[in-house]
């Protein structure tokens, strides 16, 4: 297929190669083609001297000047992988690589010259240019023979002066510490002034955030998300590439071992259609989630077979390509598929999505590397149901081969700063569960007002957000946490345990209210651009079904019938509140909740397997929760599987009324 981009270049989609890549059909040629598409589409938005790229879209909080630098820096990273992957040489009859060298060299000359009208904003304490400077430094390192080594001395000096503003500067105390590490290590590599102490301190700060088994929190608190993939594993690896013999071998070995552990888990975050689980911030970076897969192969630290690495990374790229990413202009917009600002943050400018460039790190691997030449191997979700327990972030991952869906149960990540700082709830962290086929409801005006994947206790009709999450445990397919709701009285408390089997989750909620309140629980929000999903409901249950069969079901199992008024089961509908489609609906059950402590149990299901969700009665029947006399409950799933769950830790977390 061939189409024309605004740059005038033809966009050619190579035919799939199902012999080499039986799952995705994608090869190295597809990656190179997409890189060329993305870079070619940016050319019309460049400033006259190519130092800035001003893309259409909302201005980021740092302003238009910084946004222009962001467009250059993040696309330069993509160009660098393309240039270095081709060893600076074009195929016969082509000039793509040489054009990129000339284009980004010209932009560097203008951007680093403080007297040039297109010069870049300076690096200042906690300023957005810090982020972009790291990308410039990385790109210059990877293209050293073709760009840096050929620069006039004055341009090298201007570049070192601009990057040198990092020395002595204060960064945000998060993954930003690694931007300083990268920039100053590049300065060291070219003999420019730098601070070895700042480099070492930044790497040492990373140690404070390590929680074990490959997991970092992004700064103090419980901030677990894809920044493990985007930054916290990636930048130490890239630092080692720049540092070379200056890097401490023991520290490099430590980082490699942690990456190996992380990738063993990370492979489970992708659905069979290539979609990453939709959780956390900066989701508009999309297939940047694939970056550590390539880093593992480049460093020799991956536990994955080469063919599985490519299947996972190519699956993510293909997932978005098949859904209109990039758009008809060849641009990555601020959104997930189409434009959708609620998945972004205030710092996200029009070029922010081009951190997706990190996904193209694999182009640094030679074309004859096994990761490009080995036949694709299935990912975990392709072949069997999986249940992965991750105690460090407090997560459970459960995926089902029949429908290829991955579900993440969250009992540990809230992105709140440590107490006593005030929490700021986000729907991308505060939900009980996330998946590869759904997104949380996110009202365009902001706020956490929806009930999807949430149990709320409130004295008013308004939905109260889930507060600071206090993890209780994550072990053997169960996880639990507690929080203090904003409603239900001053001493209200909710402790929840998730018990997983196959596509099913049984939630056990021990709820304490000190005033008469209303309790509401929501299941998975299902969204569709092609019309409102179908809604079915009855006493204590509700089912949402999309036209393609994706089904969300919620059924009250225990405690709901004992409340003083009938349980109301319904759909919570919305338009324009979901990244996966304009029309969305969530199954919800609610009832008055008198002051006191009560156990509630609910069956929550998300499935696209007709054998599970095709029959509404079968979807609900067979599930039971029965209280036993020893302080535990017996949980029965719809397929007859049973499990006994001790409620002792939930009771201890809720305490006495």
């Amino acid at each position: 297929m061939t189409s024309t981009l605004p740059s005038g270049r033809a966009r050619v989609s190579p035919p799939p190669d199902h012999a080499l890549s039986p799952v995705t059909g994608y090869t190295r040629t597809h990656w190179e083609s997409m890189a060329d598409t993305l870079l070619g589409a940016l050319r019309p938005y460049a400033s006259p001297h190519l130092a800035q790229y001003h893309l259409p879209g909302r201005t980021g909080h740092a302003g238009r000047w910084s946004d222009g630098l962001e467009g250059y820096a993040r696309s330069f990273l993509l160009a660098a992988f393309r240039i270095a992957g081709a060893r600076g040489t074009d195929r016969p009859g082509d000039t793509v690589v040489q054009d990129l060298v000339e284009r980004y060299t010209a932009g560097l000359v203008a951007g680093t010259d403080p007297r040039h009208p297109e010069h870049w904003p300076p690096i200042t304490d906690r300023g957005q240019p810090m982020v972009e400077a790291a990308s410039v430094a990385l790109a210059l390192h990877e293209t050293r023979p073709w760009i840096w080594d050929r620069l006039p001395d004055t341009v090298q000096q201007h570049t070192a002066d601009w990057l040198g503003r990092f020395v002595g500067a204060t960064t945000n105390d998060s993954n930003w510490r690694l931007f300083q590490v990268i920039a100053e290590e590049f300065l060291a590599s070219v003999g420019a002034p730098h601070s070895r102490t700042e480099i070492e301190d930044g790497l040492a700060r990373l140690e404070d955030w390590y929680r074990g088994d490959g997991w970092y929190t992004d700064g103090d608190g419980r901030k677990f998300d894809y920044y493990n993939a985007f930054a916290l594993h990636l930048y130490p690896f890239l630092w080692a590439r720049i540092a070379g013999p200056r890097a401490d071998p023991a520290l490099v070995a430590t980082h490699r071992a942690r990456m190996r552990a992380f990738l063993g888990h990370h492979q489970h975050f992708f659905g069979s259609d290539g979609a990453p689980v939709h959780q956390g911030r900066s989701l508009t970076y999309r297939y940047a989630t694939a970056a550590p897969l390539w880093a593992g192969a480049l460093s020799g630290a991956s536990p994955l077979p080469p063919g599985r690495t490519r299947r996972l990374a190519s699956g993510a790229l293909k997932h978005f390509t098949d859904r209109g990413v990039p758009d008809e202009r060849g641009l990555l917009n601020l959104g997930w598929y189409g434009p959708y600002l609620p998945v972004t943050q205030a710092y996200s400018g029009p070029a922010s999505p081009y951190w997706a460039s990190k996904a193209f790190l694999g182009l640094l691997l030679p074309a004859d590397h096994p990761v490009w030449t080995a036949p694709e191997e299935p990912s975990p979700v392709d072949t069997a149901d999986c249940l992965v327990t991750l105690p460090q972030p407090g997560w459970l991952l459960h995926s089902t081969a029949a429908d290829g869906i991955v579900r993440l149960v969250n009992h540990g990540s809230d992105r709140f700063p440590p107490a006593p700082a005030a929490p700021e709830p986000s729907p991308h962290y505060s939900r009980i569960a996330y998946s590869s086929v759904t997104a949380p409801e996110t009202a365009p005006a902001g706020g956490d007002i929806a009930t999807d994947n949430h149990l709320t206790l409130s004295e008013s009709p308004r939905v109260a957000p889930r507060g600071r999450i206090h993890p209780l445990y994550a072990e053997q397919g169960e996880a639990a946490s507690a929080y203090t709701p904003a409603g239900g009285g001053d001493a209200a408390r909710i402790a929840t345990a998730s018990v997983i089997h196959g596509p099913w989750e049984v939630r056990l909620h021990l709820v304490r209210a000190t005033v008469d309140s209303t309790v509401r629980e929501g299941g998975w929000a299902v969204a569709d651009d092609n019309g409102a999903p179908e809604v079915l409901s009855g006493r204590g249950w509700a089912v949402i079904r999309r036209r393609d069969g994706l089904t969300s079901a919620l059924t009250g199992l225990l405690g709901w019938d004992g409340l003083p008024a009938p349980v109301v089961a319904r759909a919570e509908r919305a338009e324009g509140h979901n990244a996966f489609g304009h029309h969305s609906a969530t199954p919800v059950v609610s009832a008055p909740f008198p002051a006191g402590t009560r156990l509630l149990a609910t069956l929550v299901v998300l499935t696209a397997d007709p054998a599970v969700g095709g029959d509404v009665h079968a979807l609900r029947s067979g599930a039971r929760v029965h209280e036993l006399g020893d302080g535990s409950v017996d949980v029965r799933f719809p397929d007859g599987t049973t499990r006994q769950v001790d409620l002792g830790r939930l009771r201890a977390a809720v305490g006495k009324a």
Side-chain angles (χ1 to χ4, degrees):
M1 179 183 297
T2 303
S3 59
T4 302
L5 295 172
S7 61
R9 292 184 58 87
R11 171 180 173 176
V12 179
S13 299
D17 184 341
H18 291 299
L20 180 61
S21 301
V23 182
T24 69
Y26 273 32
T27 64
R28 182 185 179 94
T29 302
H30 291 83
W31 283 88
E32 291 175 338
S33 175
M34 180 55 74
D36 294 345
T37 292
L38 292 168
L39 290 165
L42 289 173
R43 183 61 182 84
Y45 302 96
S47 57
H49 295 274
L50 307 174
Q52 300 183 18
Y53 289 78
H54 293 290
L55 304 182
R58 182 198 66 191
T59 302
H61 73 169
R64 188 173 186 273
W65 191 16
S66 179
D67 286 350
L69 165 62
E70 185 175 63
Y72 174 91
R74 299 192 180 198
S75 62
F76 186 20
L77 195 58
L78 175 58
F81 297 151
R82 181 71 173 95
I83 293 165
R87 305 300 298 164
T89 303
D90 280 301
R91 296 187 183 94
D94 205 347
T95 62
V96 172
V97 173
Q98 187 56 40
D99 289 348
L100 291 174
V101 170
E102 294 174 0
R103 176 171 147 192
Y104 283 91
T105 298
L108 186 74
V109 171
T112 59
D113 183 350
R115 297 168 299 179
H116 196 283
E118 292 183 17
H119 72 275
W120 294 334
I123 295 168
T124 57
D125 289 349
R126 298 187 179 89
Q128 184 66 28
M130 285 183 162
V131 185
E132 315 319 326
S135 291
V136 171
L138 286 169
L140 286 172
H141 170 73
E142 297 298 345
T143 59
R144 193 179 298 251
W146 308 286
I147 295 182
W148 178 264
D149 290 348
R150 299 178 183 179
L151 292 175
D153 290 347
T154 54
V155 179
Q156 289 188 349
Q157 187 61 54
H158 285 156
T159 303
D161 289 345
W162 184 74
L163 289 171
R165 295 287 292 270
F166 245 125
V167 181
T170 300
T171 74
N172 291 325
D173 196 29
S174 64
N175 68 88
W176 282 45
R177 296 293 295 269
L178 298 175
F179 304 151
Q180 186 170 40
V181 167
I182 291 292
E184 294 201 37
E185 194 63 65
F186 176 76
L187 290 170
S189 76
V190 297
H194 63 282
S195 168
R196 179 56 55 186
T197 298
E198 289 179 352
I199 294 171
E200 293 174 352
D201 285 351
L203 293 168
R205 186 67 173 121
L206 190 64
E207 299 303 301
D208 298 333
W209 303 328
Y210 188 61
R211 296 294 180 263
D213 204 21
W215 286 95
Y216 294 96
T217 173
D218 184 17
D220 293 334
R222 298 192 58 81
K223 303 173 182 178
F224 299 102
D225 54 27
Y226 281 121
Y227 274 82
N228 273 270
F230 298 153
L232 298 168
H233 283 286
L234 187 64
Y235 283 110
F237 157 72
L238 295 170
W239 161 76
R241 285 176 66 86
I242 300 173
R246 294 184 303 277
D248 177 0
L251 183 58
V252 172
T254 294
H255 291 157
R256 283 163 49 91
R258 292 175 181 176
M259 181 184 288
R260 175 177 289 272
F262 173 70
L263 290 175
H265 306 315
H266 190 55
Q267 64 176 321
H268 292 278
F269 280 74
F270 299 87
S272 63
D273 62 357
V277 170
H278 193 91
Q279 180 271 343
R281 69 189 178 100
S282 299
L283 289 170
T284 195
Y285 302 156
R286 299 176 172 99
Y287 37 72
T289 52
L293 299 168
W294 299 120
L298 277 159
S299 64
S302 179
L304 310 181
R308 185 181 303 166
T309 292
R310 190 174 77 256
R311 181 268 179 271
L312 290 166
S314 292
L317 180 64
K318 185 176 187 296
H319 176 82
F320 288 100
T321 303
D322 288 350
R323 289 158 181 80
V325 179
D327 65 16
E328 67 282 355
R329 301 165 296 180
L331 300 180
L332 299 176
N333 54 51
L334 285 167
W336 183 244
Y337 300 132
Y340 191 72
L341 291 179
V343 302
T344 68
Q345 282 66 46
Y347 55 74
S348 304
S352 181
Y354 286 84
W355 244 28
S357 298
K358 295 177 179 183
F360 293 80
L361 188 68
L363 293 179
L364 296 179
L365 290 159
D368 61 356
H369 189 281
V371 83
W372 291 118
T373 61
E376 278 185 345
E377 294 188 27
S379 67
V381 71
D382 293 332
T383 56
D385 293 359
C386 296
L387 176 57
V388 180
T389 303
L390 302 173
Q392 290 75 24
W395 288 346
L396 302 174
L397 287 172
H398 62 119
S399 61
T400 39
D403 53 16
I405 295 174
V406 180
R407 308 157 190 83
L408 184 158
V409 177
N410 173 36
H411 287 284
S413 182
D414 55 20
R415 201 168 175 77
F416 291 166
E424 297 179 1
S426 163
H428 290 101
Y429 293 92
S430 61
R431 300 294 189 253
I432 295 175
Y434 300 90
S435 87
S436 59
V437 296
T438 65
E441 293 285 85
T442 44
D448 189 3
I449 61 171
T451 316
D452 58 294
N453 276 320
H454 179 38
L455 183 89
T456 180
L457 189 67
S458 179
E459 300 169 67
S460 70
R462 184 179 182 275
V463 174
R466 190 181 186 190
R468 188 182 299 277
I469 298 173
H470 300 276
L472 300 178
Y473 63 87
E475 57 193 28
Q476 300 178 342
E478 295 179 22
S481 62
Y483 82 96
T484 300
D490 292 341
R493 189 77 165 164
I494 297 174
T496 297
S498 295
V499 188
I500 304 300
H501 173 62
W504 300 291
E505 176 189 0
V506 170
R507 294 177 188 164
L508 305 171
H509 307 286
L510 194 61
V511 182
R512 184 183 72 195
T514 56
V515 297
D516 291 347
S517 309
T518 297
V519 64
R520 301 177 183 86
E521 182 167 13
W524 296 89
V526 171
D528 193 350
D529 275 329
N530 299 316
E534 177 187 18
V535 176
L536 302 168
S537 64
R539 181 177 174 83
W541 63 270
V543 173
I544 312 295
R545 180 171 290 139
R546 204 166 65 185
R547 296 182 185 188
D548 64 359
L550 181 65
T551 301
S552 168
L554 185 71
T555 303
L557 299 179
L558 178 71
W560 293 92
D561 284 340
L563 294 171
V567 178
V568 176
R570 60 184 178 85
E572 191 174 80
R573 296 181 180 271
E575 293 185 3
H577 284 201
N578 198 287
F580 278 67
H582 181 70
H583 305 275
S584 57
T586 304
V588 175
V589 293
S590 62
F593 193 94
T597 301
R598 183 181 299 268
L599 177 66
L600 302 176
T602 315
L603 175 68
V604 186
V605 185
L606 176 70
T607 183
D609 180 4
V612 175
D615 182 335
V616 172
H617 176 72
L619 191 64
R620 299 181 294 105
S621 64
R624 301 284 186 275
V625 173
H626 176 66
E627 288 192 83
L628 304 175
D630 59 358
S632 65
V633 296
D634 185 70
V635 176
R636 175 187 171 93
F637 293 96
D639 68 349
T641 301
T642 60
R643 186 176 302 168
Q644 189 169 326
V645 180
D646 187 344
L647 301 179
R649 284 174 283 187
L650 267 65
R651 297 190 188 281
V654 168
K656 295 182 179 179

